[in-house]
Amino acid sequence: GAGVSQSPRYKVAKRGQDVALRCDPISGHVSLFWYQQALGQGPEFLTYFQNEAQLDKSGLPSDRFFAERPEGSVSTLKIQRTQQEDSAVYLCASSFGRDGNTIYFGEGSWLTVV
Amino acid sequence: AQKVTQAQTEISVVEKEDVTLDCVYETRDTTYYLFWYKQPPSGELVFLIRRNSFDEQNEISGRYSWNFQKSTSSFNFTITASQVVDSAVYFCALSASNRDDKIIFGKGTRLHILP
């Protein structure tokens, strides 16, 4: 499809389990973002890539969170040893790059940690 | 520091009424962008509008209109003749153009349009 694609759409993980969330950005988009959205809240920035370079990871809440984009296209957000507070929607977004270019969001991966 | 405040947590109006969603922002940047996104129950964030800080012209798109006032750091969104399909959470957001285009979101306003 033409939009940002995320998988899985829904994931239930047992506490302590590792999870991997995938994002397939819009073709040609240089910038890729991960956001975390807790229930009833606005999206919170996690990390940002420009091509394969991770330029900003200031929003990652702990060292259990890790993101990569090795070939500058698909990205994976990995959460190790999941905890209940990790339950949220994880949104991926992409854009052509700087100067306020419109950022397009995927439908999100809904993670529930039980 | 950048901040976006949406003081209205939840609004309910009857269909066909007009409704305005408020947004106030804070930034030290001289050049920045303001956005509105719609989030329906499906969860996807749908882009509605982007405004450059140098362009204070109000904009109208069908039933939607936006009022950008730099003097009060506000970027309000009005839906005219609301419809049930307008029910969603609406987010105002801000990004600085001289850095990466990381977007800072407000907490959102949940809009209920009652039939």
Side-chain angles (χ1 to χ4, degrees):
Chain A
V4 178
S5 177
Q6 293 187 245
S7 62
R9 283 280 281 135
Y10 303 95
K11 174 71 178 179
V12 178
K14 291 185 177 179
R15 190 169 51 184
Q17 187 178 355
D18 296 349
V19 300
L21 308 176
R22 176 190 167 107
C23 173
D24 211 326
I26 293 172
S27 178
H29 277 191
V30 169
S31 298
L32 185 144
F33 304 82
W34 284 99
Y35 283 79
Q36 179 191 57
Q37 186 177 18
L39 192 64
Q41 300 294 316
E44 297 278 350
F45 170 81
L46 292 178
T47 187
Y48 157 63
F49 290 87
Q50 193 174 94
N51 296 306
E52 68 279 1
Q54 190 173 20
L55 299 186
D56 188 342
K57 53 182 181 180
S58 61
L60 295 177
S62 75
D63 58 8
R64 296 186 296 103
F65 286 71
F66 171 75
E68 60 183 5
R69 194 186 184 197
E71 296 177 1
S73 179
V74 171
S75 176
T76 303
L77 176 67
K78 297 179 180 178
I79 308 173
Q80 297 176 323
R81 304 181 304 280
T82 52
Q83 300 178 5
Q84 283 191 321
E85 60 262 32
D86 300 335
S87 296
V89 179
Y90 291 86
L91 294 163
C92 179
S94 69
S95 78
F96 279 114
R98 291 179 170 269
D99 296 330
N101 275 293
T102 300
I103 297 178
Y104 295 93
F105 284 81
E107 290 184 317
S109 290
W110 299 58
L111 173 65
T112 302
V113 181
V114 297
Chain B
Q2 295 183 312
K3 185 179 178 182
V4 176
T5 301
Q6 295 180 255
Q8 303 150 308
T9 307
E10 203 158 344
I11 300 174
S12 294
V13 300
V14 177
E15 196 173 19
K16 297 183 184 176
E17 286 185 357
D18 299 348
V19 58
T20 295
L21 309 182
D22 297 332
C23 173
V24 174
Y25 63 92
E26 295 174 30
T27 181
R28 293 178 183 169
D29 297 294
T30 54
T31 304
Y32 50 90
Y33 291 89
L34 295 164
F35 303 80
W36 276 94
Y37 281 85
K38 174 182 180 179
Q39 189 173 45
S42 62
E44 183 179 357
L45 279 165
V46 178
F47 168 79
L48 296 178
I49 190 172
R50 181 191 72 185
R51 298 297 286 176
N52 183 302
S53 55
F54 292 119
D55 183 1
E56 289 192 66
Q57 269 195 326
N58 291 331
E59 181 158 340
I60 298 175
S61 176
R63 295 184 298 106
Y64 295 170
S65 62
W66 291 270
N67 183 349
F68 176 27
Q69 293 199 353
K70 224 168 174 178
S71 60
T72 56
S73 296
S74 66
F75 186 45
N76 296 339
F77 172 33
T78 297
I79 302 175
T80 303
S82 60
Q83 300 176 2
V84 172
V85 293
D86 297 328
S87 297
V89 181
Y90 290 86
F91 292 98
C92 181
L94 166 71
S95 77
S97 71
N98 61 344
R99 296 191 295 274
D100 60 70
D101 42 4
K102 174 172 68 178
I103 290 183
I104 304 299
F105 286 85
K107 293 189 181 301
T109 297
R110 183 174 295 277
L111 178 62
H112 301 278
I113 307 299
L114 308 173

